[in-house]
Amino acid sequence: MNSFSRQCRLTAASLAVMTVAAGAAACSSGSGGTSTKGPGSGTYAVWDPYPQFDKTSAWAKLLDQCGTKAGVKIKRTAFDTSDLGNKTLLAAQQGNSPDVLIVDNPVVSTLAEAGVLTTTDDTKLVTSKVDPNLLAAGQSGGKTYGTPIGANTLALYYNKKVLKQAGVDIASVKDWNSLTAALAKVKQAGKKGITFSAIGTEEGSFQFLPWFWGSGAKLTALDSSQGVSALTLWKDWLKNGYAPNSVLDNTQTTSWQEFASGDYAFAENGTWQLAGAKKAGFDYGVLPIPAATGGNTAAPTGGEFVTVPVQQDTGRYATSEKLVTCLTSADSLYDTDTTLSYVAPTSEVQDKQVAANADLKPWVDAVKAAKGRTSDGLGTTYPKISEQMWKAVQSALSGSKSPKDALSAAQSAAK
């Protein structure tokens, strides 16, 4: 499943709505997580954003197995990602939260700030094996709220045949200058350069972030010279015909369809397209997105966190911790992350994944360099910043503003 196709529906606006959703209509009856029985027995509620998996799926069976190990029954409810955050806030207001909540990582800080989630100190959940850069997406105010179940991120897919015809050695692509030089050769050879998504939604920000961070820019200063250089890079690619004007409207899905046509040298896309890449009918490779002056840039992490919402009966936390630990154990992570096309959040399981599928090696490298969108202490301020970022990208690429003016306006609005 394309994980980000679920995430990209969580726009900045919908995230902002979550903070006031407690005043909206009550959620449907029977979906909460409390039990009339004491802690450590009875039924424990698990909410997840995987409605594509029914009760016969490996995921549902894993939940039941973890419940059996903990001595409880599992009542699972699956929501579309765009609904899950609001449902969680409403349930918390009613004192009817699920025992375990699996939620997109950008939403964790919003729920934490609203007082909905416990910390790992509350539940005694051990997260020492999790890669710190992935765990950071669920940290706010010096506290950790849950643990990642897996991660995906962005990299560059490339068409080996197109590059060969253009006389481009992929080993030469190490920074922005060498990538742009490769695109020029591809165009000269009569082929198309690179496609990506610059649509005016969170999806556009998600795709721009590797270049923004790769310039050395920070989200607290959108209009820095580094940030301007990143947006200028994209603008120049369009101006020189290295990228199509369709990127302004491209989702990651339509961008992928362009690459799958076989005419493009590069496409920025995610781990979730691996299955599609194998079906495309041409030899491809994967390259971590280069930073401006070389090395792998930080790309944003996608994926969910397994969290424990606050309960009136704190005695339930011990069993909830057992459930979370089971779901995120090495064996469970390997199976689950394979199903979800995720890279595991621990080196132990990542090594196992690469041993089973060498195609995952560049993705593991990319995930190790990745960063949460709400990291760097941004928390709930990220959605507002992101909205101004994607508006700036749209303004600059459409030609209505220069990259510098677009980002200056974005920074003023973000404040």
Side-chain angles (χ1 to χ4, degrees):
M1 167 101 182
N2 177 342
S3 169
F4 194 83
S5 69
R6 298 193 305 271
Q7 294 170 354
C8 68
R9 291 193 295 271
L10 261 180
T11 63
S14 64
L15 279 171
V17 166
M18 284 174 53
T19 63
V20 296
C27 62
S28 60
S29 62
S31 61
T34 57
S35 169
T36 56
K37 297 185 179 181
S41 63
T43 300
Y44 275 61
V46 176
W47 288 5
D48 69 49
Y50 310 132
Q52 72 273 24
F53 298 135
D54 63 21
K55 63 182 180 180
T56 66
S57 66
W59 168 247
K61 291 177 181 177
L62 173 62
L63 289 174
D64 289 337
Q65 290 167 7
C66 287
T68 299
K69 289 180 181 178
V72 297
K73 291 183 178 180
I74 298 298
K75 180 184 178 182
R76 177 203 174 210
T77 307
F79 296 94
D80 184 89
T81 295
S82 58
D83 295 330
L84 186 53
N86 286 330
K87 294 290 190 185
T88 300
L89 282 169
L90 291 166
Q93 182 191 36
Q94 298 167 352
N96 198 29
S97 294
D99 293 285
V100 175
L101 171 70
I102 301 164
V103 66
D104 272 344
N105 74 66
V107 184
V108 173
S109 59
T110 299
L111 295 178
E113 186 171 293
V116 174
L117 302 179
T118 63
T119 70
T120 52
D121 290 336
D122 296 327
T123 60
K124 312 304 179 188
L125 180 66
V126 177
T127 60
S128 56
K129 291 185 177 181
V130 177
D131 287 355
N133 66 314
L134 301 182
L135 191 64
Q139 294 176 324
S140 179
K143 298 183 181 296
T144 303
Y145 297 87
T147 188
I149 199 168
N152 54 30
T153 194
L154 297 167
L156 294 178
Y157 287 87
Y158 59 89
N159 185 318
K160 293 182 179 181
K161 182 179 179 180
V162 170
L163 291 182
K164 183 177 180 180
Q165 290 174 339
V168 174
D169 179 1
I170 192 62
S172 70
V173 179
K174 298 179 178 179
D175 53 24
W176 289 3
N177 286 340
S178 55
L179 175 57
T180 300
L183 296 176
K185 286 186 176 181
V186 169
K187 184 184 177 184
Q188 290 169 1
K191 292 292 185 177
K192 298 177 181 179
I194 186 169
T195 180
F196 48 88
S197 170
I199 194 170
T201 67
E202 172 62 21
E203 200 165 355
S205 290
F206 189 79
Q207 288 241 318
F208 182 60
L209 274 172
W211 311 95
F212 184 81
W213 283 333
S215 72
K218 296 182 179 179
L219 286 170
T220 50
L222 294 175
D223 57 348
S224 68
S225 60
Q226 295 95 329
V228 172
S229 72
L231 189 48
T232 300
L233 178 75
W234 272 19
K235 175 64 176 178
D236 286 348
W237 284 352
L238 265 68
K239 181 177 67 175
N240 293 320
Y242 302 157
N245 289 327
S246 59
V247 300
L248 278 160
D249 299 311
N250 270 347
T251 64
Q252 291 181 115
T253 299
T254 56
S255 171
W256 179 258
Q257 291 168 349
E258 288 178 337
F259 179 69
S261 69
D263 293 331
Y264 282 85
F266 294 95
E268 180 184 357
N269 228 295
T271 326
W272 53 87
Q273 299 290 10
L274 273 173
K278 292 178 180 178
K279 295 178 182 178
F282 53 80
D283 287 338
Y284 73 94
V286 177
L287 178 74
I289 297 172
T293 58
N296 297 346
T297 187
T301 57
E304 287 82 38
F305 261 63
V306 189
T307 66
V308 176
V310 172
Q311 301 290 337
Q312 293 177 348
D313 182 0
T314 59
R316 298 180 70 83
Y317 296 157
T319 298
S320 295
E321 184 275 331
K322 291 180 182 178
L323 294 173
V324 176
T325 297
C326 176
L327 290 173
T328 57
S329 68
D331 289 342
S332 296
L333 282 174
Y334 179 78
D335 293 337
T336 300
D337 290 338
T338 299
T339 298
L340 297 174
S341 294
Y342 282 164
V343 171
T346 67
S347 294
E348 175 187 2
V349 184
Q350 290 167 0
D351 291 345
K352 187 176 179 181
Q353 288 181 303
V354 172
N357 181 4
D359 290 344
L360 288 176
K361 179 63 169 64
W363 291 108
V364 169
D365 292 341
V367 163
K368 284 186 174 296
K371 183 163 69 171
R373 283 162 278 174
T374 58
S375 297
D376 296 333
L378 293 177
T380 55
T381 64
Y382 169 76
K384 185 175 182 180
I385 295 170
S386 174
E387 182 178 8
Q388 298 309 318
M389 174 181 280
W390 80 58
K391 287 180 177 178
V393 170
Q394 286 270 303
S395 294
L397 298 192
S398 66
S400 64
K401 291 181 181 178
S402 69
K404 182 177 180 179
D405 289 345
L407 287 172
S408 292
Q411 180 63 23
S412 296
K415 286 182 178 180

